[in-house]
Short mmCIF file of all heavy atoms in Angstrom, two decimals:
data_model
loop_
_atom_site.label_atom_id
_atom_site.label_comp_id
_atom_site.label_asym_id
_atom_site.label_seq_id
_atom_site.Cartn_x
_atom_site.Cartn_y
_atom_site.Cartn_z
N ARG F 186 -20.13 18.89 -12.19
CA ARG F 186 -20.56 19.80 -13.27
C ARG F 186 -19.76 21.09 -13.24
O ARG F 186 -19.43 21.64 -14.29
CB ARG F 186 -22.06 20.06 -13.17
CG ARG F 186 -22.81 18.80 -13.61
CD ARG F 186 -24.26 19.05 -13.90
NE ARG F 186 -24.81 17.85 -14.51
CZ ARG F 186 -25.88 17.20 -14.06
NH1 ARG F 186 -26.53 17.65 -13.01
NH2 ARG F 186 -26.29 16.12 -14.69
N LYS F 187 -19.46 21.55 -12.02
CA LYS F 187 -18.67 22.77 -11.87
C LYS F 187 -17.28 22.59 -12.51
O LYS F 187 -16.73 23.49 -13.15
CB LYS F 187 -18.51 23.08 -10.38
CG LYS F 187 -18.04 24.47 -10.06
CD LYS F 187 -18.08 24.67 -8.56
CE LYS F 187 -17.14 25.77 -8.13
NZ LYS F 187 -17.01 25.81 -6.66
N ALA F 188 -16.74 21.37 -12.35
CA ALA F 188 -15.40 21.10 -12.90
C ALA F 188 -15.45 20.68 -14.36
O ALA F 188 -14.41 20.48 -14.98
CB ALA F 188 -14.72 20.01 -12.07
N GLY F 189 -16.67 20.50 -14.91
CA GLY F 189 -16.82 20.07 -16.31
C GLY F 189 -16.36 18.64 -16.52
O GLY F 189 -15.98 18.25 -17.63
N GLY F 190 -16.39 17.85 -15.46
CA GLY F 190 -15.91 16.47 -15.55
C GLY F 190 -17.00 15.49 -15.95
O GLY F 190 -18.10 15.88 -16.35
N ALA F 191 -16.68 14.23 -15.85
CA ALA F 191 -17.63 13.17 -16.20
C ALA F 191 -17.65 12.12 -15.09
O ALA F 191 -16.70 12.05 -14.29
CB ALA F 191 -17.21 12.52 -17.51
N ILE F 192 -18.73 11.35 -15.05
CA ILE F 192 -18.85 10.32 -14.02
C ILE F 192 -19.23 8.99 -14.65
O ILE F 192 -20.10 8.94 -15.54
CB ILE F 192 -19.94 10.68 -12.97
CG1 ILE F 192 -19.68 12.03 -12.32
CG2 ILE F 192 -20.04 9.60 -11.91
CD1 ILE F 192 -20.74 12.43 -11.30
N LEU F 193 -18.59 7.93 -14.19
CA LEU F 193 -19.05 6.58 -14.49
C LEU F 193 -19.56 6.03 -13.16
O LEU F 193 -18.82 5.95 -12.19
CB LEU F 193 -17.91 5.72 -15.03
CG LEU F 193 -18.30 4.30 -15.47
CD1 LEU F 193 -19.33 4.33 -16.59
CD2 LEU F 193 -17.08 3.51 -15.91
N TRP F 194 -20.85 5.66 -13.14
CA TRP F 194 -21.54 5.39 -11.88
C TRP F 194 -22.12 3.98 -11.92
O TRP F 194 -22.72 3.60 -12.92
CB TRP F 194 -22.69 6.41 -11.77
CG TRP F 194 -23.37 6.59 -10.47
CD1 TRP F 194 -23.93 5.63 -9.69
CD2 TRP F 194 -23.59 7.82 -9.79
NE1 TRP F 194 -24.49 6.18 -8.57
CE2 TRP F 194 -24.30 7.53 -8.62
CE3 TRP F 194 -23.29 9.16 -10.06
CZ2 TRP F 194 -24.71 8.53 -7.71
CZ3 TRP F 194 -23.70 10.14 -9.17
CH2 TRP F 194 -24.39 9.83 -8.00
N THR F 195 -21.93 3.19 -10.88
CA THR F 195 -22.66 1.92 -10.82
C THR F 195 -23.49 1.91 -9.55
O THR F 195 -23.10 2.50 -8.53
CB THR F 195 -21.74 0.67 -10.76
OG1 THR F 195 -21.27 0.50 -9.44
CG2 THR F 195 -20.58 0.78 -11.73
N SER F 196 -24.63 1.28 -9.62
CA SER F 196 -25.49 1.20 -8.45
C SER F 196 -26.54 0.13 -8.72
O SER F 196 -26.81 -0.22 -9.87
CB SER F 196 -26.16 2.56 -8.20
OG SER F 196 -27.10 2.46 -7.17
N HIS F 197 -27.11 -0.38 -7.64
CA HIS F 197 -28.28 -1.25 -7.81
C HIS F 197 -29.55 -0.49 -7.47
O HIS F 197 -30.63 -1.08 -7.44
CB HIS F 197 -28.14 -2.51 -6.94
CG HIS F 197 -27.15 -3.48 -7.48
ND1 HIS F 197 -25.99 -3.81 -6.84
CD2 HIS F 197 -27.13 -4.17 -8.66
CE1 HIS F 197 -25.30 -4.68 -7.59
NE2 HIS F 197 -25.97 -4.90 -8.69
N ASN F 198 -29.39 0.80 -7.18
CA ASN F 198 -30.55 1.63 -6.88
C ASN F 198 -31.04 2.26 -8.20
O ASN F 198 -30.49 3.25 -8.68
CB ASN F 198 -30.12 2.71 -5.88
CG ASN F 198 -31.26 3.63 -5.49
OD1 ASN F 198 -32.27 3.74 -6.18
ND2 ASN F 198 -31.08 4.32 -4.37
N MET F 199 -32.08 1.65 -8.76
CA MET F 199 -32.55 2.05 -10.10
C MET F 199 -33.06 3.49 -10.14
O MET F 199 -32.91 4.20 -11.12
CB MET F 199 -33.66 1.12 -10.58
CG MET F 199 -33.24 -0.31 -10.68
SD MET F 199 -31.90 -0.52 -11.85
CE MET F 199 -30.99 -1.79 -11.04
N ARG F 200 -33.67 3.89 -9.02
CA ARG F 200 -34.19 5.25 -8.97
C ARG F 200 -33.04 6.27 -9.03
O ARG F 200 -33.12 7.29 -9.71
CB ARG F 200 -35.00 5.43 -7.67
CG ARG F 200 -36.12 6.41 -7.85
CD ARG F 200 -37.05 6.35 -6.69
NE ARG F 200 -37.55 7.71 -6.44
CZ ARG F 200 -38.04 8.09 -5.30
NH1 ARG F 200 -38.09 7.27 -4.29
NH2 ARG F 200 -38.48 9.32 -5.17
N GLU F 201 -32.00 5.94 -8.29
CA GLU F 201 -30.82 6.80 -8.28
C GLU F 201 -30.22 6.89 -9.68
O GLU F 201 -29.91 7.98 -10.17
CB GLU F 201 -29.78 6.20 -7.31
CG GLU F 201 -28.45 6.91 -7.30
CD GLU F 201 -27.51 6.32 -6.25
OE1 GLU F 201 -27.59 6.76 -5.09
OE2 GLU F 201 -26.70 5.43 -6.58
N ILE F 202 -30.10 5.74 -10.32
CA ILE F 202 -29.50 5.70 -11.66
C ILE F 202 -30.33 6.53 -12.63
O ILE F 202 -29.80 7.29 -13.44
CB ILE F 202 -29.41 4.22 -12.14
CG1 ILE F 202 -28.38 3.46 -11.32
CG2 ILE F 202 -29.12 4.13 -13.62
CD1 ILE F 202 -26.94 3.87 -11.53
N GLU F 203 -31.64 6.40 -12.52
CA GLU F 203 -32.53 7.14 -13.42
C GLU F 203 -32.39 8.65 -13.20
O GLU F 203 -32.40 9.43 -14.15
CB GLU F 203 -33.98 6.69 -13.18
CG GLU F 203 -34.90 7.12 -14.31
CD GLU F 203 -36.23 6.40 -14.25
OE1 GLU F 203 -36.37 5.44 -13.47
OE2 GLU F 203 -37.14 6.82 -15.00
N GLN F 204 -32.23 9.03 -11.94
CA GLN F 204 -32.12 10.46 -11.62
C GLN F 204 -30.83 11.08 -12.14
O GLN F 204 -30.83 12.19 -12.63
CB GLN F 204 -32.16 10.65 -10.11
CG GLN F 204 -33.54 10.70 -9.52
CD GLN F 204 -33.47 10.79 -8.00
OE1 GLN F 204 -32.42 11.02 -7.41
NE2 GLN F 204 -34.61 10.58 -7.37
N VAL F 205 -29.74 10.35 -12.00
CA VAL F 205 -28.44 10.99 -12.26
C VAL F 205 -27.92 10.80 -13.68
O VAL F 205 -27.10 11.59 -14.14
CB VAL F 205 -27.34 10.52 -11.27
CG1 VAL F 205 -27.72 10.81 -9.83
CG2 VAL F 205 -27.03 9.03 -11.44
N SER F 206 -28.41 9.77 -14.37
CA SER F 206 -27.71 9.36 -15.60
C SER F 206 -28.15 10.11 -16.84
O SER F 206 -29.33 10.31 -17.08
CB SER F 206 -27.93 7.87 -15.85
OG SER F 206 -27.62 7.14 -14.71
N ASP F 207 -27.17 10.49 -17.65
CA ASP F 207 -27.47 10.95 -19.01
C ASP F 207 -27.61 9.73 -19.91
O ASP F 207 -28.36 9.75 -20.89
CB ASP F 207 -26.33 11.82 -19.54
CG ASP F 207 -26.15 13.08 -18.70
OD1 ASP F 207 -27.17 13.74 -18.42
OD2 ASP F 207 -25.01 13.39 -18.30
N ARG F 208 -26.85 8.70 -19.58
CA ARG F 208 -26.86 7.48 -20.40
C ARG F 208 -26.69 6.28 -19.50
O ARG F 208 -26.00 6.38 -18.46
CB ARG F 208 -25.70 7.52 -21.38
CG ARG F 208 -26.10 7.40 -22.83
CD ARG F 208 -24.89 7.60 -23.72
NE ARG F 208 -23.97 6.49 -23.62
CZ ARG F 208 -22.65 6.63 -23.55
NH1 ARG F 208 -22.11 7.84 -23.55
NH2 ARG F 208 -21.88 5.58 -23.49
N ILE F 209 -27.26 5.18 -19.90
CA ILE F 209 -27.10 3.95 -19.11
C ILE F 209 -26.57 2.85 -20.02
O ILE F 209 -27.06 2.67 -21.14
CB ILE F 209 -28.45 3.51 -18.49
CG1 ILE F 209 -28.93 4.55 -17.50
CG2 ILE F 209 -28.33 2.14 -17.83
CD1 ILE F 209 -30.33 4.32 -16.98
N ILE F 210 -25.56 2.15 -19.52
CA ILE F 210 -25.04 0.99 -20.25
C ILE F 210 -25.44 -0.25 -19.46
O ILE F 210 -25.05 -0.40 -18.30
CB ILE F 210 -23.50 1.07 -20.38
CG1 ILE F 210 -23.10 2.29 -21.20
CG2 ILE F 210 -22.94 -0.20 -21.00
CD1 ILE F 210 -21.60 2.57 -21.21
N PHE F 211 -26.26 -1.10 -20.10
CA PHE F 211 -26.64 -2.35 -19.45
C PHE F 211 -25.65 -3.43 -19.83
O PHE F 211 -25.36 -3.61 -21.01
CB PHE F 211 -28.05 -2.78 -19.90
CG PHE F 211 -29.13 -2.31 -18.98
CD1 PHE F 211 -29.92 -1.22 -19.31
CD2 PHE F 211 -29.37 -2.98 -17.79
CE1 PHE F 211 -30.92 -0.78 -18.47
CE2 PHE F 211 -30.38 -2.54 -16.94
CZ PHE F 211 -31.15 -1.44 -17.28
N LEU F 212 -25.16 -4.11 -18.82
CA LEU F 212 -24.21 -5.21 -19.07
C LEU F 212 -24.85 -6.52 -18.65
O LEU F 212 -25.60 -6.58 -17.68
CB LEU F 212 -22.96 -5.02 -18.22
CG LEU F 212 -21.99 -3.91 -18.58
CD1 LEU F 212 -21.06 -3.66 -17.41
CD2 LEU F 212 -21.19 -4.25 -19.82
N SER F 213 -24.52 -7.55 -19.40
CA SER F 213 -24.94 -8.88 -19.00
C SER F 213 -23.84 -9.85 -19.43
O SER F 213 -23.42 -9.85 -20.59
CB SER F 213 -26.26 -9.24 -19.67
OG SER F 213 -26.60 -10.56 -19.34
N ARG F 214 -23.38 -10.64 -18.51
CA ARG F 214 -22.30 -11.62 -18.76
C ARG F 214 -21.12 -10.98 -19.51
O ARG F 214 -20.60 -11.54 -20.46
CB ARG F 214 -22.83 -12.81 -19.55
CG ARG F 214 -23.86 -13.60 -18.77
CD ARG F 214 -24.38 -14.75 -19.53
NE ARG F 214 -25.45 -15.39 -18.81
CZ ARG F 214 -26.22 -16.37 -19.30
NH1 ARG F 214 -26.01 -16.82 -20.53
NH2 ARG F 214 -27.18 -16.89 -18.58
N GLY F 215 -20.77 -9.80 -19.08
CA GLY F 215 -19.59 -9.14 -19.61
C GLY F 215 -19.79 -8.38 -20.91
O GLY F 215 -18.88 -7.74 -21.42
N LYS F 216 -21.01 -8.46 -21.48
CA LYS F 216 -21.26 -7.78 -22.76
C LYS F 216 -22.22 -6.61 -22.57
O LYS F 216 -23.07 -6.66 -21.67
CB LYS F 216 -21.91 -8.74 -23.75
CG LYS F 216 -20.98 -9.79 -24.34
CD LYS F 216 -21.78 -10.64 -25.31
CE LYS F 216 -20.94 -11.77 -25.89
NZ LYS F 216 -19.90 -11.33 -26.79
N ILE F 217 -22.11 -5.62 -23.43
CA ILE F 217 -23.08 -4.52 -23.41
C ILE F 217 -24.33 -4.99 -24.17
O ILE F 217 -24.23 -5.41 -25.33
CB ILE F 217 -22.50 -3.25 -24.07
CG1 ILE F 217 -21.33 -2.71 -23.23
CG2 ILE F 217 -23.58 -2.20 -24.26
CD1 ILE F 217 -20.66 -1.48 -23.80
N VAL F 218 -25.47 -4.93 -23.49
CA VAL F 218 -26.71 -5.34 -24.17
C VAL F 218 -27.58 -4.13 -24.50
O VAL F 218 -28.52 -4.24 -25.28
CB VAL F 218 -27.51 -6.37 -23.34
CG1 VAL F 218 -26.75 -7.68 -23.26
CG2 VAL F 218 -27.81 -5.86 -21.95
N ALA F 219 -27.29 -3.00 -23.90
CA ALA F 219 -28.05 -1.79 -24.24
C ALA F 219 -27.24 -0.58 -23.79
O ALA F 219 -26.54 -0.65 -22.77
CB ALA F 219 -29.40 -1.80 -23.55
N ASP F 220 -27.35 0.51 -24.56
CA ASP F 220 -26.59 1.72 -24.24
C ASP F 220 -27.37 2.91 -24.76
O ASP F 220 -27.37 3.18 -25.96
CB ASP F 220 -25.20 1.63 -24.89
CG ASP F 220 -24.35 2.88 -24.64
OD1 ASP F 220 -24.85 3.84 -24.04
OD2 ASP F 220 -23.17 2.85 -25.04
N ASP F 221 -28.09 3.59 -23.86
CA ASP F 221 -28.89 4.72 -24.32
C ASP F 221 -29.34 5.56 -23.12
O ASP F 221 -29.02 5.22 -21.97
CB ASP F 221 -30.11 4.21 -25.10
CG ASP F 221 -30.48 5.15 -26.25
OD1 ASP F 221 -30.34 6.38 -26.07
OD2 ASP F 221 -30.90 4.65 -27.30
N SER F 222 -30.13 6.60 -23.38
CA SER F 222 -30.62 7.43 -22.28
C SER F 222 -31.71 6.67 -21.53
O SER F 222 -32.32 5.75 -22.10
CB SER F 222 -31.19 8.73 -22.84
OG SER F 222 -32.35 8.44 -23.58
N PRO F 223 -31.97 7.01 -20.28
CA PRO F 223 -33.00 6.29 -19.52
C PRO F 223 -34.35 6.27 -20.24
O PRO F 223 -35.01 5.22 -20.31
CB PRO F 223 -33.08 7.06 -18.20
CG PRO F 223 -31.76 7.72 -18.06
CD PRO F 223 -31.29 8.02 -19.43
#
Side-chain angles (χ1 to χ4, degrees):
Chain F
R186 287 196 171 125
K187 195 174 157 190
I192 304 179
L193 184 61
W194 194 307
T195 80
S196 174
H197 285 115
N198 180 341
M199 300 299 144
R200 211 168 145 202
E201 174 176 275
I202 291 292
E203 196 166 350
Q204 276 176 12
V205 301
S206 309
D207 297 313
R208 238 174 70 222
I209 296 172
I210 297 171
F211 266 103
L212 289 164
S213 176
R214 296 180 186 172
K216 286 181 183 291
I217 294 179
V218 293
D220 178 355
D221 215 324
S222 67

